[in-house]
């Protein structure tokens, strides 16, 4: 099966290559004309010295040479190539190859390379003189990660960005982002950053193909985000898609074939171990339950009678070892100076990890099977003098096949099943034994697979159109540097789901008996019925964005000024919104930057936004930010040296807002009544009883409600040292958010109504970030090392919370999402331990040796809810870091990214950690339970004493056993990405039109170092019922024509 | 040329400004059909919906909600995990079949102010939206034009609302004792929302005052299609039950008799014994009986049932406690809306997760059909033949078989057949092993003539209760079973005899009359079995330490397989300790949720 797929894939590639080559070759041959030739040249520094060590590279390839001691080089080029000439400490130059055979390149020192720009809100700024806190990652770096979903390629690449992936299910595996941690009371969507794609707010970036991305930028401080006003408080992620480059059409085809596996899954015990634990539990409880007979234990251990004593490892029964993933992308970039285009088609096919069975009566698959198709056409055209049109047309279609049974249920069933039963025998689904059970009176489970198949499957289709058109008009004829622009963007997003429930799935029971061949026969356990059902659901929603702006940029001697004024509005139309009415937001933006001699920098940003959530008069918020910068190295008094070549200090202060609270809308409206809401029956039963509608007071309005306001300060430093080989960026930030929209916590229940959210909360958030990078070259061996580190810690300053008996019980004063629970110190090991136990407010009569030892924090002699103290952290890490390194040498490239997180805690409960509850399984680490023998032998004890029904254990405190024992330190360090690639550029290939070939081997999450052994450290807190995180091995081919 | 440019610029500015104005309006909420307070009190339909909401919110219900089938507004019991259980499951009457059912949280953990939502039987928060809705209704009903609702009807509606507030307070009284008195919709104009607890006496007086105000404006009956609304009988019943609680030892005592030491005796007792409280209680109960005799409310007798008199099962009791809208019912909760109000869930529901079974402790209060006492096994873990169990069960009085389903035979009062005919053999839920079951049999009260329905009215007031209220209070006041109040219809003993006779048991003999209080305790345990009284009765009599704090006993049935083939069974039963339960003296009253106490308006009840 797997081999077949590989063959398909390979033949697919060959076919595609042939097609592309076939269609392009003639054109290519014509254009190429004379084919390739040798170009020689010299590279000098600005002081006319040979630029020793400079590299000359053909852009977009790894093909290049290093100049000799005199600065000379010779390189084989073909028409349309672009040379990239670089030397550390100097600005990289790009030179299109024309017909010339000899060139001279003069490199300028790049301590202040003003050409290098970075995308910011509503524009781009020079990286050298920017005063805000901004990070970026280039599309080509994103591509190094073989993840299916682009959101999973960003972890560890930028300071200030926390990325957490909570599921690995194909099509549902997007990471969630936070910028500089969480600054508000709500750890959900209300603290998620704003996502901007090509200048327009979009719901997510997960649908993008990594190949269409030019760069991903994050805006962190108020200076960078104030212009987003009421939506900018949580930071901004700006994705820019690729733009065509003038020149001959460059066709790039890439293909990746990967094998997905998973990082971690719980290891389940076998039937014999399960029996051991269960029987031991009955002994410990002293209850009159029936034990499994010793004979059963032996039979399961021997495994000599696999039908009578059959067992299943549910993890292995559901999950296979690996599943394929394929990606294809073809894009063409080119154009003239007047019209540039980038067009792309990408395809992803990702299969799920569920094992395929060939079963009687089942002709569908429940295995996730996800296909994504991306189309993009980005066109930039100069229409008439001064007028340019930019079109950004992106479209994504997805098709997914899934089980019609929730992922949570599938994984919950795995953990909630005893290991007994064959489940599948002779290609048939087995639901039990008929007549004589091998073990009578003990429960066995239904077949999980039966439940899974019985529910059928579903097809999810989505279509997303992200379209925008922008017209820019250069008003240079009025005054130099003045321009206006207008933009329209339209998003249309549709989801369509078909759910198919099959008729009866044939299932069988096993009848044991010596009279049958092999000692058993199978009889059908259910009646056929052909009542298959199909249900369909569809949703569609639309967003419209309009923007009009005027901008100005001009230099007057040493005075450099830019200005921007802009109006924008966004309307969203989604039937799922509260009131089913469209949603609107509008804003005005202003920005002025001033720069004296590239030495003293200043910027003022203004956002003025209105939100529908607030009453007229309170609807608009004004969000100013100021920032200053000073480039020390530009000062005449700063000695010219090679140690510090560039130093900038920058600082910003400003205010940004947030208007979201869940999905609630129009918070200012007067108290609403819900009618009809509930009801009551009157009348005489059987005669005239009738249901009468009732009405109920709904949310109480709050006319005073307004946006939450974040005050943010940032101080940063950018350094380039040792001739720019070493660079450092450090930022220190502090944020204080008040007016946080939150529910009242001190209104007594006796009022009997729910007051509308009010501007109640206050949260502070502080932290720092540092990035240190080293780039150098040893001959043709280029290498880099880079480390990023981010830390952010928040604190709830106020949240309208009643004063409690102990400060530590309150949320105020602690981090958002801080776990509170009991403190455990080991186990109750001895009789003395048991006698010295404090009282407990739960579990009367169940405390015994082997249970957890709970600490009576307040010393009142009772362990109760007053003893719950802050334990661990929250489930978003406070510290994230990444360390990447790589080299390239003669076409060989290597890149690796190690990424980690710490100060993070996960809380696993219920089936994730608690074994033996009715039909529940046990995991291998439960074998390390407390027993007297194991305690006396000094063995490592990993679990309290076993009960036959552990949910009754006082250690577990069903259903919420939040104590230190059940918390996991989810710190981890993982080999997030690794890539080894080889670039081939052969004259022979070029003769057939292929200029470059790149072969790569890469992987994601190949290694994970963590204290957690049963679940991946990025798991969602909870019951462990999620699709496991992927590990991917990938082989890729990229061909450039 | 220059003029043109200027005109163009002017145009541009005008267009900009004009469009700006229209732009700003996108932030206005487009008009949609929002309903506000003014809308509600503008016509009859809306105003009635506000009244019906009070019923929905405040009429108590004792049947659980199906798991996951909570009503939208999460009122009533659904805010606590107890929502899947019956009050009987935390008394010595019943227990839930299986371990993890919510009622069990109380049984294994008791009450806990801090994790109230999990452990408590009641949620402090859930009645207040209904009380607010009632006061809002009373305050605003006058706004409805007279041509929509005439004045007289408005007056009656206000009386219904007041009676429902009194009902909610009556429901909270034995749980929390003294409460904050909320007598208007709290909010605007109030100096503080933190209304402190009044004294217990003030709380009781507040309930009685609301009843007195409501009584004159309420009708004795409604047309058939409005059955279920508050009649004059409802505030009379509220008065009777409230005064019975007030007269009983728990409340009717001095500070020195408090269950636990407490700085605020005024919140949990009436600070001194007053015998006259029994007389008031007796008269209030008699008022109900007198009213009933004129309002068409009477006990169901065999004659009321088709084919009744000849029915050997004496169905009258089962009929009275199961059939919707029978003439014995004064008020029932009729608030179900979905296809399942959890009735089946709480009772037996095909023996799945959440059914109830009856404890050995409570069946000792039942008698044999000949009114003598049954002998139940006392030696624990002694294997006894299953046939003996069957014999004993079938010797019991008729009401017993309307409450308990003897294991291993068809349910006595079902018309539904099939899977329901045997227990536990043959049809054990495959999720449990035999050892998971406790009890002497499944509880089948409320299941008379059961044929699979999922919805039942929970009876709040049934006439039979007031015979027993009257008998108890009268005998306590006069010290004699043969006494009656000046206006009384019966002597205390006669009132009990009415109930016994209807139940199919002979009248009290002299010896029983002499030991009348014991008979009252016993009669209430039997007649009002599982109707949500015992939890309060044992507390008001201050005997809960014995009944709920003692050991619970159950029977267990074992079906052994001989050899490896499952064709022959040996069957036996045995008595054993049921699962131990938590009982503390603090549980005489419920804790206020700690978070509410932290808000600074409630003084916590003793022991929490």
């Amino acid at each position: 099966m797997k081999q077949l797929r590989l063959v398909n894939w390979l033949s697919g590639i060959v076919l595609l290559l042939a097609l592309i080559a076939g269609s392009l070759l003639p054109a290519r041959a014509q254009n190429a004309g004379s084919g390739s030739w040798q170009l020689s040249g010299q590279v000098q520094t600005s002081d006319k010295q040979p630029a020793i060590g400079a590299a000359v590279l053909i852009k977009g390839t790894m093909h290049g040479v290093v100049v000799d001691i005199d600065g000379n080089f010779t390189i084989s080029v073909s028409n349309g190539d672009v040379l990239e000439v670089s030397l550390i400490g100097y600005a990289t130059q790009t030179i299109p190859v024309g017909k010339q055979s000899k060139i001279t390149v003069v490199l300028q020192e790049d301590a202040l390379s003003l050409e290098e720009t970075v995308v910011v809100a509503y524009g781009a700024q020079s990286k050298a003189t920017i005063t805000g806190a901004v990070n970026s990652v280039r599309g080509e770096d994103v591509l190094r990660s073989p993840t299916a979903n682009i959101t999973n390629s960003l972890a560890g690449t930028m300071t200030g960005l926390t990325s957490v992936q909570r599921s690995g299910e194909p099509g549902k595996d997007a990471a969630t982002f936070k910028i500089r941690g969480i600054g508000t009371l709500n750890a959900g969507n209300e603290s998620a950053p704003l996502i901007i794609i090509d200048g327009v707010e979009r719901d997510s970036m997960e649908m993008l193909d990594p190949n269409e991305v030019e760069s991903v930028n994050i805006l962190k401080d108020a200076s960078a985000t104030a212009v987003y006003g009421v939506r900018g408080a949580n930071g901004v992620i700006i994705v820019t898609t690729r733009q065509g480059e003038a020149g001959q059409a460059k066709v790039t085809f890439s293909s990746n074939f990967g094998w997905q596996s998973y990082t971690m899954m719980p290891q389940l015990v076998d039937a014999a171990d399960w029996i051991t634990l269960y029987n031991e539990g009955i002994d410990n409880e002293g209850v009159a339950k029936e034990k499994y007979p010793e004979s059963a234990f032996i039979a399961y251990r021997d495994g000599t009678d696999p039908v009578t004593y059959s067992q299943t490892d549910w993890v292995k029964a559901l999950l296979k070892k690996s599943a394929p993933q394929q990606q294809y992308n073809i894009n063409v970039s080119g154009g003239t100076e007047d019209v540039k285009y980038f067009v792309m088609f990408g395809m992803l096919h990702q299969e799920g990890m569920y094992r395929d069975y060939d079963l009687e009566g089942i002709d569908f698959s429940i295995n996730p099977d996800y296909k994504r198709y991306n189309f993009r056409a980005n066109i930039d055209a100069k229409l008439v003098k001064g007028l340019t049109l930019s079109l950004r047309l992106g479209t994504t279609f997805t098709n997914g096949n899934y089980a019609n049974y929730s992922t949570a249920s599938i994984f919950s069933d795995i953990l909630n099943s005893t290991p007994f039963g064959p489940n599948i025998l002779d290609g048939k689904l087995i639901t039990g034994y008929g007549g004589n059970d091998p073990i009578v009176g003990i429960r066995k489970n239904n077949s999980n697979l039966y439940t899974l198949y019985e529910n059928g499957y579903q097809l999810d289709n989505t279509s997303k159109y992200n379209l925008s058109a922008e017209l820019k008009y250069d008003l240079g004829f009025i005054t130099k540097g003045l321009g206006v622009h207008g933009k329209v963007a339209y998003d249309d997003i549709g989801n369509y789901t078909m759910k198919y429930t099959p008729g009866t799935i044939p299932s069988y029971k096993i009848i044991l008996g010596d009279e049958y061949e092999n000692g058993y026969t199978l009889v059908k356990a259910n009646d056929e019925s052909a009542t298959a059902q199909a249900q369909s659901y569809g949703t569609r929603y639309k967003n419209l964005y309009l923007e009009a702006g005027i901008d100005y940029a001009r230099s007057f001697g040493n005075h450099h000024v830019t200005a921007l004024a802009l109006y924008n509005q966004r309307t969203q139309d989604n039937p799922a919104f509260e009131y089913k009415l469209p949603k609107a937001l509008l804003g005005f933006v202003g920005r002025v930057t001033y720069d004296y001699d590239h030495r003293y920098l200043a910027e003022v940003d203004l956002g003025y936004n209105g939100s529908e959530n607030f009453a007229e008069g309170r609807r608009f918020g004004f969000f100013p930010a100021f920032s200053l910068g000073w480039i020390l190295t530009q000062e005449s008094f700063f000695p010219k040296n090679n140690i510090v070549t560039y130093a900038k200090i920058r600082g910003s202060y400003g205010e940004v807002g947030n208007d979201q609270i869940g999905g609630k809308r129009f918070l200012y409206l007067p108290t609403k009544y819900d009618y009809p809401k509930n009801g009551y029956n009157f009348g005489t039963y059987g005669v005239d009883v009738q249901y009468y509608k009732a009405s109920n007071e709904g949310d109480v309005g709050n006319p005073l409600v307004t946006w939450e306001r974040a005050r943010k300060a940032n101080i940063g430093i950018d350094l380039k040292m040792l001739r720019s080989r070493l660079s450092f960026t450090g930022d220190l930030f502090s944020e204080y958010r008040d007016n946080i929209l939150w529910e009242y916590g001190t209104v007594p229940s006796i009022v009997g109504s729910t007051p509308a959210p009010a501007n109640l909360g206050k949260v502070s958030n502080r932290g720092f970030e540092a990035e240190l990078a080293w780039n150098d070259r040893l001959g043709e061996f280029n290498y880099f090392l880079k480390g990023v580190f981010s830390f952010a810690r928040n604190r709830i300053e106020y949240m309208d919370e009643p004063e409690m008996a102990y400060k530590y019980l309150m949320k105020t004063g602690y981090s958002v999402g801080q776990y509170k629970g009991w403190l455990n110190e080991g186990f109750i090991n001895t009789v003395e331990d048991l006698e010295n136990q404090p009282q407990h407010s739960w579990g009367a009569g169940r405390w015994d040796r082997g249970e957890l030892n709970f600490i009576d924090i307040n010393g009142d002699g009772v362990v109760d809810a007053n003893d719950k103290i802050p334990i661990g952290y929250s489930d978003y890490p406070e510290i994230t870091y990444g360390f990447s390194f790589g080299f390239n040498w003669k076409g060989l490239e290597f890149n690796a990214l190690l990424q980690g997180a710490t100060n993070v805690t996960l809380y696993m409960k219920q089936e994730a950690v608690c074994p033996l509850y009715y039909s529940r399984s046990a995991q291998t680490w439960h074998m390390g339970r407390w027993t007297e023998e194991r305690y006396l032998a000094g063995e490592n004890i990993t679990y309290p004493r076993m009960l036959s029904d552990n949910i009754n254990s006082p250690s577990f405190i069903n259903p919420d056993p939040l104590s230190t024992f059940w918390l996991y330190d989810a710190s981890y360090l993982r080999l997030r990405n690794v890539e080894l690639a080889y670039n081939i550029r052969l004259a022979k290939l070029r003769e057939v039109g292929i200029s470059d070939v790149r072969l790569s081997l890469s992987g994601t999450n190949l290694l994970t170092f963590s204290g957690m052994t049963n679940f991946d450290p990025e798991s969602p807190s909870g019951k462990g019922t999620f699709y496991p995180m992927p590990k991917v091995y990938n082989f890729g081919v990229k061909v450039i024509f | 040329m220059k003029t043109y440019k200027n005109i163009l610029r002017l145009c541009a500015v005008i267009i900009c400004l004009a469009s700006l104005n229209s732009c700003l309006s996108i932030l206005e909420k487009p008009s949609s059909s929002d309903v506000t307070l003014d809308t509600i009190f503008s016509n009859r339909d809306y105003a009635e919906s506000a009244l019906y909401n009070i019923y929905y919110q405040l009429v108590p219900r004792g049947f659980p909600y199906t798991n996951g089938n909570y009503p939208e507004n999460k009122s009533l019991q659904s805010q606590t995990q107890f929502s899947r259980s019956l009050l009987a499951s935390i008394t010595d009457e019943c227990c839930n079949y299986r371990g993890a059912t919510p009622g069990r949280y109380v049984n294994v953990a008791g009450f806990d102010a801090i994790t109230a939502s999990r452990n408590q039987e009641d949620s402090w928060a859930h009645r207040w939206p209904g009380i607010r809705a009632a006061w809002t209704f009373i305050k605003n009903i006058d706004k409805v034009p007279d041509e929509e609702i005439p004045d007289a009807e408005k007056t009656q509606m206000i009386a219904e609302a007041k009676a429902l507030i009194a009902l909610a307070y009556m429901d909270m009284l034995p749980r929390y004792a003294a409460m904050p008195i909320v007598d208007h919709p709290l909010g605007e104009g109030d100096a503080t929302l933190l209304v402190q607890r009044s004294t217990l006496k003030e709380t009781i007086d507040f309930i009685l005052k609301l009843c007195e105000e409501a009584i004159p404006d309420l009708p004795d009956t409604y047309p058939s299609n409005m059955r279920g609304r508050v009649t004059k009988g409802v505030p009379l019943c509220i008065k009777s039950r409230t005064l019975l609680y007030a007269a009983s030892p728990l409340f009717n005592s001095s500070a020195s008799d408090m269950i636990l030491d407490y700085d605020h005796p005024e919140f949990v007792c009436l600070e001194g014994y007053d015998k006259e409280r029994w007389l008031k209680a007796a008269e209030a109960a008699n008022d109900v009986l007198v009213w009933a005799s004129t309002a068409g409310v009477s006990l169901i007798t065999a004659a009321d049932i088709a084919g009744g008199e000849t029915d050997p099962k004496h169905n009258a009791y089962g009929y009275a406690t199961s059939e919707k809208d029978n003439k014995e019912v004064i008020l029932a909760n009729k608030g179900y809306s979905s296809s399942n109000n959890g009735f089946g869930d709480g009772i037996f529901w095909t023996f799945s997760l959440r059914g109830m079974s009856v404890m050995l402790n409570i069946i000792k209060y039942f008698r044999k059909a000949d009114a003598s006492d049954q002998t139940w096994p006392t030696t624990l873990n002694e294997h006894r033949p299953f046939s003996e169990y069957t014999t004993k069960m079938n010797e019991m009085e008729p009401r017993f078989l309307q409450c308990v389903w003897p294991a291993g035979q068809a349910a006595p009062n079902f018309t539904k057949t099939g899977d329901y005919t045997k227990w536990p053999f043959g049809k054990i839920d495959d999720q449990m092993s035999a050892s998971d079951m406790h009890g002497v049999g499944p509880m089948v009260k409320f299941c008379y003539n059961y044929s699979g329905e999922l919805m039942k009215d929970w009876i709040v007031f049934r006439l039979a209760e007031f015979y027993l209220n009257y008998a108890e209070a009268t005998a306590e006041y006069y010290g004699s079973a043969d006494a009656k109040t000046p206006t009384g219809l019966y002597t205390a003993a006669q009132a009990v005899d009415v109930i016994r006779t209807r139940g199919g048991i002979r009248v009290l003999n002299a010896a029983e009359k002499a030991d009348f209080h014991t008979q009252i305790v016993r009669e209430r345990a039997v007649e009002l079995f599982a109707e949500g009284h015992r939890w309060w009765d044992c507390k008001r009599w201050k005997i809960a330490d014995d009944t709920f704090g003692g050991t619970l006993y159950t029977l267990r049935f074992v079906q052994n397989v001989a050899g490896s083939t499952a064709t022959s069974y040996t069957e036996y039963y045995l008595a054993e300790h049921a699962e131990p339960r938590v009982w503390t003296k603090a549980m005489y009253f419920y804790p206020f949720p700690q978070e509410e106490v932290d808000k600074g308006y409630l003084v916590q009840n003793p022991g929490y």
Side-chain angles (χ1 to χ4, degrees), chain A residues 486-523:
Chain A
K487 187 177 208 168
V488 181
Y490 177 73
D491 295 348
D492 191 316
I493 298 143
N495 295 295
Y496 187 74
T497 301
M498 281 292 284
K499 294 185 170 192
Y500 297 96
T501 315
T504 311
I505 301 284
S507 70
Y508 290 81
K509 288 191 186 297
I510 301 175
I511 306 283
L512 299 169
D514 293 337
E515 63 270 38
Y516 306 114
E517 194 187 339
N518 301 325
Y520 69 93
T521 186
L522 301 180
V523 294

Side-chain angles (χ1 to χ4, degrees), chain B residues 276-322:
Chain B
E276 295 304 310
R277 293 192 181 113
W278 283 116
L279 180 60
K280 284 186 189 160
E283 284 171 338
N286 188 57
D287 287 347
V288 175
L289 301 180
V290 170
W291 169 81
S293 67
T294 63
V297 175
S298 62
L299 294 184
I300 297 291
T301 61
D304 294 314
I305 316 167
E309 278 169 313
T310 55
D311 192 325
K313 289 182 193 164
H314 292 269
N315 290 341
Y317 172 76
Y319 188 99
T321 52
S322 305

Side-chain angles (χ1 to χ4, degrees), chain A residues 57 61-65 780-782 887-894 980-985 996-1000:
Chain A
L57 184 76
T61 77
M62 284 308 300
H63 186 71
V65 294
E780 291 188 44
F781 184 81
N782 296 289
F887 65 84
N888 63 65
W889 177 70
K890 289 185 189 294
L892 190 66
E893 275 180 86
F894 175 79
L980 182 67
Y982 186 65
N983 294 275
I984 306 166
R985 188 175 171 93
D996 289 277
V997 175
R998 184 176 193 268
L999 303 173
S1000 62

Side-chain angles (χ1 to χ4, degrees), chain A residues 567 616 619 669 673 680-685 688 691 695 697 745 747 749 751 846 865 917-918 958, chain B residues 23 28-29 35 37 49 53 98 100 104-105 114 118 132 224-225 227 229 325 334 336-337 596 599:
Chain A
Y567 167 81
E616 207 173 345
R619 189 164 284 164
L669 286 182
Y673 270 70
Y680 200 81
N681 297 285
F682 294 106
T684 306
Y685 182 71
D688 50 12
Y691 187 69
S695 61
E697 187 181 40
V747 173
S749 296
V751 172
R846 290 182 172 75
Y917 167 51
Y918 294 99
N958 176 51
Chain B
C23 286
E28 289 290 340
K29 177 173 170 293
V35 177
L37 184 100
S49 76
N53 179 47
R98 273 188 58 186
R104 192 164 170 279
Y105 291 124
I114 306 170
R118 185 153 62 87
R132 178 185 183 82
S224 163
N225 69 346
R227 201 190 152 94
R229 285 177 74 165
D325 301 322
K334 295 166 78 80
Y336 47 84
S337 61
E596 291 296 308
K599 288 172 187 173

Side-chain angles (χ1 to χ4, degrees), chain A residues 83 320 470 558 595 857 889 902 1028:
Chain A
L83 293 186
K320 51 189 173 189
E470 183 175 11
N558 276 335
D595 158 359
I857 297 290
W889 177 70
T902 190

